């Protein structure tokens, strides 16, 4: 009997995992339920799933894995519905970025021997199945949160499965996971959303702030375009951790304000120097919850065909361009060409290639 995997919810993350399974395990049978019938139709048309289930029913029997990929508040509700279809060796998992609540519900339902929490720390500011892709979880940390009843062999099997999909498994305890993600994922989303709203509320009548917002502002607020429903659910389910983390961060902001108020030159330098050094020490191997972009910036000759020449150089060396455009902001003395690639290797090759052709390439 061939392996079978079930999905409850087929949005950005669920769809990406399903596509990764189809890519690396083309013979697996994939069954999916989603409230959005158009999503199921598209996934069937693309041959990502074999069975489009209109309800959670017998189609989910005999699964090796069942992934709960709905918003975190809904995943706990789906536990009761899926419980009757769990075979002895089936691993039940989820992809939510909050773990304590679902672990508590699993314990109350006596499903601890089946459940291993999962959280692929990858994503996009875009949501929904149409934006899913197999490579989304590639090189991303995939956190696994086992229960007390989890057998080591099942944890090892799930970790190996995650690796086969191109992700990097990390084992954490549920409470520890929620505090960590609250700090490095949930807090940045709240900051980004608050910052965007702050600019909106304080903009001029002519919307000068909005129109003059350059690359730096857009970079740090890009995640504010994420699904409001998803982040509403996350903040409710992880409210204790997020509240404490926000309190600590507000204190940090007050300390920064004091440095500005006092004109403390040494303190301000220290603020920016330590943050720069720590930021530069962050590993670049994981896709992370805030997707990394791979881009090269270079000067171009101000003449007709300048962009076409660069594009031809890159294309002739089999480098695929994801996006290309001219950037004008204070980070560069004059406008430069920004060329975005699909992966870090292509970005590095492009930089060396353009330097070989005497182009000035900037590092960021």
């Amino acid at each position: 009997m061939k392996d079978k995997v079930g999905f409850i919810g087929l949005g950005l993350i669920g769809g990406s995992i399903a596509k990764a399974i189809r890519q690396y395990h083309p013979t697996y049978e994939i069954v999916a339920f989603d409230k959005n019938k158009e999503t199921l139709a598209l996934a069937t048309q693309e041959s990502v799933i074999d069975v489009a289930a209109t309800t959670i029913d017998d189609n989910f029997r005999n699964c090796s894995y069942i992934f709960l990929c709905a918003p975190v508040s809904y995943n706990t509700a789906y536990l009761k519905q899926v419980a009757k279809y769990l075979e002895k060796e089936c691993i039940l998992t989820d992809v939510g970025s909050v773990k304590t609540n679902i672990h508590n519900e699993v314990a109350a339902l006596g499903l601890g021997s089946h459940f291993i929490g999962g959280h692929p720390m990858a994503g996009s500011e875009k949501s929904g199945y149409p934006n899913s892709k197999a490579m989304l979880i590639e090189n991303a940390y995939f956190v696994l949160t086992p229960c007390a009843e989890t057998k080591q062999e099942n944890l090892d099997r799930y970790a190996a499965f995650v690796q086969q999909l191109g992700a990097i498994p990390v084992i954490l305890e549920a409470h520890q996971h929620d505090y960590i993600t609250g700090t490095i994922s949930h807090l940045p989303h709240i900051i980004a959303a608050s910052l965007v709203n702050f600019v909106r509320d304080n903009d001029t009548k002519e919307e000068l702030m909005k129109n003059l917002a350059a690359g730096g502002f857009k970079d740090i607020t890009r995640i504010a375009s994420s699904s409001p429903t998803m982040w509403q659910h996350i903040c409710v389910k992880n409210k204790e951790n997020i509240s404490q983390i926000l309190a600590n961060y507000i204190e940090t902001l007050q300390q920064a304000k004091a440095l500005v108020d006092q004109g403390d030159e040494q303190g301000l330098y220290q603020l920016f120097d330590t943050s720069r050094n720590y930021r530069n020490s962050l590993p670049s191997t994981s896709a992370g919850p805030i997707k990394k972009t791979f881009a090269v910036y270079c000067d171009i000759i101000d003449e007709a065909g300048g962009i076409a020449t660069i594009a031809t150089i890159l294309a002739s060396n089999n480098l695929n361009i994801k996006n290309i455009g001219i950037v004008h902001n204070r980070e560069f003395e004059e406008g430069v060409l920004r060329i975005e690639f699909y992966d870090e290797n292509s970005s590095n090759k492009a930089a060396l290639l353009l330097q070989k052709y005497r182009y000035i390439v900037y590092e960021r």
Side-chain angles (χ1 to χ4, degrees):
M1 183 178 68
K2 64 181 179 181
D3 284 282
K4 181 179 178 181
V5 181
F7 285 87
I8 310 296
L10 204 64
L12 176 71
I13 300 300
S16 296
I17 294 174
K19 288 179 178 179
I21 292 172
R22 179 60 72 221
Q23 175 177 315
Y24 291 105
H25 299 286
T27 63
Y28 278 25
E29 180 182 358
I30 300 178
V31 55
F33 161 78
D34 194 282
K35 290 183 176 180
N36 189 324
K37 301 301 184 288
E38 293 180 1
T39 289
L40 294 177
L42 180 58
T44 303
Q45 179 184 336
E46 294 178 343
S47 298
V48 172
I49 66 174
D50 300 290
V51 178
T54 54
T55 59
I56 300 174
D57 54 22
D58 284 338
N59 282 301
F60 288 91
R61 291 196 185 278
N62 301 314
C63 285
S64 300
Y65 298 91
I66 295 179
F67 286 86
L68 300 174
C69 302
V72 290
S73 294
Y74 299 151
N75 281 338
T76 52
Y78 284 132
L79 282 171
K80 292 181 181 178
Q81 296 183 50
V82 79
K84 67 177 79 171
Y85 304 111
L86 299 176
E87 307 296 338
K88 183 178 180 182
E89 296 303 319
C90 178
I91 291 177
L92 176 64
T93 186
D94 74 322
V95 298
S97 69
V98 182
K99 285 286 163 280
T100 302
N101 294 84
I102 195 165
H103 270 271
N104 290 341
E105 188 67 21
V106 163
L109 294 172
L111 299 176
S113 61
H114 288 282
F115 187 78
I116 301 175
H119 178 204
M121 298 190 69
S124 168
E125 66 275 17
K126 298 178 181 179
S127 58
Y129 177 82
N131 295 300
S132 64
K133 48 192 174 184
M135 67 179 295
L136 189 74
I137 63 171
E138 186 176 309
N139 293 324
Y141 289 116
F142 201 120
V143 179
L144 307 182
T145 57
C147 296
E149 302 93 330
T150 300
K151 294 180 181 178
Q152 186 63 44
E153 61 192 71
N154 284 345
L155 182 59
D156 292 342
R157 174 159 63 96
Y158 189 15
F161 185 57
V162 164
Q163 284 184 308
Q164 291 164 11
L165 301 181
I168 306 166
V170 177
I171 315 299
L172 291 178
E173 189 273 331
H175 291 86
Q176 183 185 34
H177 165 275
D178 287 355
Y179 183 76
I180 291 172
T181 55
T183 304
I184 64 172
S185 178
H186 307 167
L187 177 64
H189 277 81
I190 293 173
I191 291 171
S194 302
L195 181 55
V196 170
N197 287 338
F198 180 82
V199 170
R200 180 202 64 188
D201 296 340
N202 290 275
D203 206 349
T204 64
K205 291 182 179 179
E206 301 80 14
E207 294 191 326
L208 292 175
M209 292 184 186
K210 177 180 179 179
N211 293 319
L212 292 175
F217 180 81
K218 290 182 178 179
D219 282 347
I220 64 174
T221 60
R222 179 162 49 91
I223 53 177
S225 296
S226 299
S227 165
T229 300
M230 179 180 74
W231 285 101
Q232 171 198 42
H233 286 207
I234 287 172
C235 287
V236 170
K237 291 298 182 181
N238 199 26
K239 63 180 181 180
E240 289 82 7
N241 279 316
I242 292 175
S243 178
Q244 183 58 56
I245 292 163
L246 275 172
N248 295 340
Y249 183 69
I250 289 170
E251 185 177 335
T252 299
L253 286 178
Q254 290 172 335
Q255 292 170 358
K257 181 179 182 299
L259 294 176
V260 174
D261 291 343
Q262 298 161 12
D264 186 342
E265 295 184 9
Q266 183 58 39
L268 289 167
Y269 178 87
Q270 186 76 5
L271 168 69
F272 295 113
D273 186 51
T274 54
S275 65
R276 178 188 63 176
N277 291 337
Y278 188 75
R279 173 64 176 78
N280 290 342
S281 74
L282 297 180
S284 60
T285 52
S286 171
I290 304 173
K291 198 73 174 177
K292 182 179 179 181
T293 56
F294 306 103
V296 168
Y297 297 79
C298 72
D299 282 334
I300 56 172
I301 301 173
D302 188 14
E303 63 182 17
I307 295 178
T309 300
I310 290 177
T312 301
I313 291 172
L314 297 174
S316 63
N317 285 271
N318 299 315
L319 292 172
N320 294 324
I321 296 173
K322 182 178 181 181
N323 204 353
I324 189 168
I326 297 176
V327 176
H328 292 280
N329 66 36
R330 63 184 181 183
E331 195 169 348
F332 307 102
E333 291 185 7
E334 297 180 8
V336 299
L337 191 67
R338 181 184 186 274
I339 314 163
E340 187 177 345
F341 299 89
Y342 289 95
D343 56 75
E344 187 171 18
N345 188 45
S346 296
S347 177
N348 292 337
K349 284 183 178 179
L352 293 174
L353 185 63
L354 292 174
Q355 288 171 337
K356 177 182 175 182
Y357 280 87
R358 306 296 184 184
Y359 287 95
I360 297 175
V361 177
Y362 299 94
E363 293 185 6
R364 292 186 70 196

